Amino acid sequence: MGDNKGKKVDNKKTDNKVNNKKIDKKVDKKVRSKNNSKKEIARIILMYIGFAICAVQLVLGIVLTVQVKKLNVLPTGLLVVIGVVFTLITVWLAVMQRWLVPGIVAKVISIMLIVGICLASTYVKATNDALARMTGITTQIDNVHVYVLKDAMAETIEDAKDYNFGVLESLDRENTDSYVADIESQLGQTLVITEYSDIFTQARALYNKDVQAIILNQAYIGILTEQEEFADFVEKTKSIDSKKIVSEVEETINDEYLYAGEDIFTIYISGIDTTGSPEENHNSDVNILLTANLETRQILMISTPRDYYVPLSISNGVNDKLTHAGGYGIDVCVDTLAMLYEVNINDYIKVNFTGFTDIIDELGGVNVYSDYEFSIEDYHFEQGYNMLNGEEALFFARARKSFIDGDRQRGRNQMAVIEAIIDKAISTEMLQNYTEVLDAVADSMITSMTQDEITDLVQFQLNDMRGWDVVTYDVNGYDGAGVTYSGGSQELYVMIPDEASLEQAREYLRQIYAGQRVVIPESVPAQ
């Protein structure tokens, strides 16, 4: 009996173990089922998150495509191919979301693409905005001021209502008369006016207190301060009133001059060295004609010294310094150079070199080549390459008295700065401050070329990636002195043109317009 009881107890224990195992299996099955359900739910959630990421990727891709299309630098066919490829990649990444591990990998790829698309969109939008600000500019600005001596009691035009005002007899008379009419309307009285034949006589009258105020276009101050007698004009005077006058740049075509066809064009590059908008009229210190033949893929650049003694388009045959043409407007510069070289000029680019300091600083400095070792004020430059910040590059570009070649070497140095900026701008370092650099460029440069014209040239280059043959030529001259259209009877330093070098420049232009290869012998600049 005792043995049977023991057996019953053992059987009961065994049955309990079996039952416990069955229960454990059921519990494990439920747990596993529950865990599988959680994993499935997590997979589904991750899959829909992946779908959402892909949708964002697709939308941002469409936005980028629209922006690139608006920029109009890529051929439509290439843009369509890129769009199709991008869409297929997006669909493939969406399909990968059906599986857990491949879906995670696809999400990482999508996020990386989204970051890249956002960066690209930022750059493209910045490019579009900058081009919109600086292209298609066909207006120019004259700032006409009322100047009095620094110690004068007058601080406003109302304070000066009883002053005697000195004005120019003929120069800039349309702007002067318009401004005088505005002042008289504002004051309700007629101004006392004394006329002067030239800006030097007018400024001298202010210095001598023969008049208490003068009305003068700000663009002419550069002409005044070139003379030692009026080098302190900015420090010695103050402006108590001003008027901004905006006018259209007029285009002139001469049937007797060289004229562009579909494959050739000439652009005038004007460099000013002053603060303010490049749209404002100022002396033009850099004067370069750039002619490009798209068929031969050759670019000819002709540099003309700022003090070249030539007739201006508005001076009725009276000679003046070429730089003074800028004070009368960019159209006067264009027409004067067209007369000089007998070529029609299609467009202009106007650059403010003072604003280039911001561009260079945003680029992190530029590596500029100097033909000579020289110093200017506290800055020293070695022969060869010099790593320069914005301020150093500006002093480098301004230097002229350090060289026997004077203005001609200054022009070469300015071209060296431009070349260094271009080299840095096309490097990968440009991407670090891309939008800031574009803002600085848009603040420092304007052009009459439209955005479509510029993007057409970019498309042309993308369709044919062959290089360009760039040749440069400087017309020559010799030191002299002469009366000028802007200076009246006072003799100024001028550069008398060397007619042989001028005729050579015209011949080079005729060659490039005829589709011939221009070959310019190398020359060594004078030290």
Side-chain angles (χ1 to χ4, degrees):
M1 292 289 293
D3 291 340
N4 290 334
K5 286 181 180 180
K7 288 180 181 178
K8 286 181 179 179
V9 171
D10 290 341
N11 289 335
K12 189 173 182 181
K13 287 180 179 179
T14 301
D15 290 342
N16 287 337
K17 287 180 179 179
V18 171
N19 289 334
N20 287 338
K21 286 181 179 179
K22 289 180 178 180
I23 292 170
D24 289 342
K25 286 180 179 180
K26 288 180 179 179
V27 170
D28 288 343
K29 190 174 181 180
K30 287 181 179 179
V31 170
R32 285 196 297 273
S33 177
K34 189 175 182 180
N35 287 338
N36 288 337
S37 296
K38 287 181 178 179
K39 287 180 180 179
E40 181 63 17
I41 292 171
R43 186 189 68 79
I44 292 171
I45 291 173
L46 287 173
M47 181 177 69
Y48 280 107
I49 290 174
F51 288 158
I53 293 173
C54 288
V56 171
Q57 175 187 319
L58 183 62
V59 170
L60 290 177
I62 293 171
V63 171
L64 177 59
T65 302
V66 171
Q67 289 178 331
V68 173
K69 178 63 178 174
K70 181 181 177 183
L71 188 59
N72 194 32
V73 294
L74 293 179
T76 303
L78 178 60
L79 196 59
V80 170
V81 170
I82 293 173
V84 170
V85 171
F86 177 79
T87 302
L88 291 175
I89 291 173
T90 305
V91 171
W92 174 71
L93 291 173
V95 171
M96 295 290 287
Q97 304 303 322
R98 296 175 57 190
W99 299 280
L100 185 61
V101 175
I104 292 173
V105 174
K107 289 178 185 65
V108 172
I109 294 173
S110 286
I111 291 171
M112 292 173 63
L113 284 173
I114 287 172
V115 171
I117 291 169
C118 288
L119 285 174
S121 293
T122 300
Y123 291 156
V124 172
K125 183 179 184 301
T127 304
N128 265 318
D129 292 345
L131 285 174
R133 286 168 57 190
M134 61 191 283
T135 58
I137 306 299
T138 58
T139 55
Q140 54 193 350
I141 297 173
D142 282 297
N143 286 312
V144 187
H145 289 254
V146 173
Y147 292 103
V148 298
L149 293 175
K150 184 79 77 175
D151 58 2
M153 296 296 293
E155 295 294 337
T156 66
I157 194 64
E158 286 80 7
D159 297 336
K161 63 182 180 179
D162 296 324
Y163 281 10
N164 186 354
F165 288 77
V167 303
L168 290 170
E169 189 174 42
S170 56
L171 255 148
D172 201 41
R173 195 55 194 252
E174 184 177 348
N175 287 336
T176 300
D177 288 344
S178 171
Y179 189 22
V180 168
D182 287 350
I183 294 173
E184 290 179 338
S185 174
Q186 178 183 341
L187 298 178
Q189 67 180 58
T190 302
L191 296 182
V192 178
I193 298 290
T194 301
E195 295 183 341
Y196 294 95
S197 61
D198 59 77
I199 58 174
F200 300 110
T201 307
Q202 181 194 30
R204 196 173 292 117
L206 178 64
Y207 275 29
N208 295 337
K209 299 185 179 180
D210 297 331
V211 292
Q212 292 76 50
I214 61 172
I215 296 176
L216 184 66
N217 193 319
Q218 186 182 36
Y220 300 168
I221 291 179
I223 303 173
L224 269 176
T225 54
E226 287 177 353
Q227 303 307 304
E228 186 176 350
E229 181 183 359
F230 303 107
D232 61 351
F233 183 84
V234 175
E235 293 77 21
K236 200 169 182 176
T237 64
K238 62 184 177 182
S239 170
I240 59 171
D241 198 70
S242 65
K243 179 180 181 180
K244 180 181 289 187
I245 301 172
V246 181
S247 60
E248 282 290 325
V249 177
E250 297 182 3
E251 181 181 2
T252 304
I253 297 176
N254 191 316
D255 294 335
E256 297 180 1
Y257 296 164
L258 294 171
Y259 190 76
E262 292 183 0
D263 297 324
I264 190 167
F265 57 86
T266 293
I267 296 172
Y268 166 56
I269 301 174
S270 170
I272 60 176
D273 186 10
T274 185
T275 57
S277 167
E279 205 172 342
E280 296 177 1
N281 291 330
H282 291 283
N283 285 358
S284 181
D285 290 330
V286 177
N287 300 278
I288 296 170
L289 287 187
L290 184 152
T291 300
N293 189 313
L294 305 183
E295 184 66 29
T296 63
R297 298 189 73 83
Q298 188 174 46
I299 293 174
L300 168 67
M301 287 196 291
I302 297 175
S303 178
T304 312
R306 69 187 296 277
D307 293 320
Y308 232 41
Y309 194 47
V310 295
L312 305 186
S313 62
I314 60 170
S315 66
N316 295 318
V318 179
N319 282 3
D320 203 340
K321 293 186 179 190
L322 176 60
T323 183
H324 293 169
Y328 304 113
I330 190 71
D331 48 355
V332 177
C333 293
V334 168
D335 293 342
T336 298
L337 286 169
M339 288 166 47
L340 186 64
Y341 292 107
E342 300 175 359
V343 60
N344 283 290
I345 298 171
N346 305 88
D347 286 290
Y348 62 81
I349 297 172
K350 195 174 181 183
V351 181
N352 188 337
F353 275 91
T354 303
F356 262 30
T357 58
D358 295 332
I359 299 173
I360 291 168
D361 287 337
E362 294 296 349
L363 285 169
V366 292
N367 204 19
V368 181
Y369 186 85
S370 176
D371 292 326
Y372 312 111
E373 179 182 357
F374 69 97
S375 297
I376 175 173
E377 294 192 15
D378 295 330
Y379 299 97
H380 181 77
F381 305 97
E382 299 289 343
Q383 184 178 20
Y385 284 100
N386 298 261
M387 192 66 189
L388 308 179
N389 61 27
E391 186 173 349
E392 291 167 340
L394 182 59
F395 273 89
F396 178 85
R398 280 176 170 169
R400 62 170 172 153
K401 294 183 179 179
S402 303
F403 315 106
I404 294 175
D405 240 3
D407 281 321
R408 281 162 289 186
Q409 186 58 43
R410 175 163 70 169
R412 297 183 193 110
N413 287 353
Q414 289 167 339
M415 289 299 296
V417 172
I418 293 174
E419 183 178 350
I421 290 173
I422 292 172
D423 288 342
K424 192 66 175 285
I426 62 178
S427 70
T428 55
E429 296 176 58
M430 168 75 167
L431 298 176
Q432 297 175 7
N433 297 303
Y434 184 79
T435 56
E436 291 84 355
V437 172
L438 280 184
D439 281 341
V441 170
D443 288 339
S444 306
M445 184 185 303
I446 59 171
T447 178
S448 60
M449 297 178 70
T450 64
Q451 185 169 342
D452 286 343
E453 287 173 330
I454 292 176
T455 54
D456 284 346
L457 288 174
V458 174
Q459 279 198 28
F460 172 82
Q461 182 62 28
L462 290 174
N463 289 330
D464 185 352
M465 294 300 291
R466 286 182 297 158
W468 290 83
D469 175 28
V470 180
V471 292
T472 61
Y473 183 71
D474 302 329
V475 293
N476 212 339
Y478 53 91
D479 295 340
V483 296
T484 64
Y485 172 74
S486 301
S489 59
Q490 182 164 333
E491 284 197 342
L492 307 177
Y493 164 78
V494 296
M495 180 178 287
I496 310 297
D498 176 72
E499 290 299 328
S501 71
L502 265 178
E503 184 53 37
Q504 182 63 74
R506 297 183 190 114
E507 175 58 26
Y508 287 144
L509 281 165
R510 287 191 287 267
Q511 289 175 12
I512 196 169
Y513 270 80
Q516 301 171 11
R517 177 69 58 178
V518 176
V519 179
I520 300 177
E522 291 187 7
S523 60
V524 179
Q527 293 190 4

